[in-house]
Amino acid sequence: SKNSGHRHFMYLAFSQDEFVEAASGASTGTRMPRADWKFMRGIEFVTAPPQVMAAFENIAGSLIDPVVKQHGETRALPEAEEAVAAA
C-alpha cells in the first residue's frame, strides 16, 4: 500500500495462508523461487473506508507491533544459539 497508514492491515493481509499460497504458487524457480510480480500486482484486497482503516490501525498497531518484534527476535534465536555454541 502506498498509504503507510495501512501498514498493519497489509501485514495481516500478507500473512494470510491464502495470500502466501497464491504467491508461492505463482513463483518460479526451484532452488530459490522468485515471485511473479505481475501476478502479485493483480491481487486485489478489499479495504474498509478510510475512517474504519484509521480506527483499525490505531487498535491493531498496539497489538501487532510487539508480535512482529517478537517474531523477528524468535527467528534470530537459533543463529544466536549457534554463535554461542561455537564460541
Side-chain angles (χ1 to χ4, degrees):
S1 171
K2 292 180 182 178
N3 183 347
S4 63
H6 295 166
R7 181 172 61 93
H8 297 102
F9 171 80
M10 297 306 294
Y11 175 80
L12 292 176
F14 292 157
S15 298
Q16 295 296 310
D17 289 340
E18 294 85 359
F19 178 81
V20 173
E21 288 173 13
S24 295
S27 65
T28 58
T30 54
R31 299 186 106 195
M32 293 187 67
R34 300 285 188 239
D36 180 345
W37 293 109
K38 287 183 182 179
F39 171 80
M40 301 293 284
R41 278 188 220 109
I43 295 177
E44 295 183 14
F45 292 94
V46 177
T47 60
Q51 64 273 22
V52 174
M53 291 297 289
F56 173 82
E57 289 296 320
N58 286 335
I59 295 168
S62 62
L63 301 172
I64 294 172
D65 285 340
V67 172
V68 171
K69 182 179 182 217
Q70 182 66 40
H71 178 72
E73 291 171 358
T74 302
R75 289 184 65 193
L77 192 56
E79 294 173 7
E81 289 173 349
E82 288 178 20
V84 169

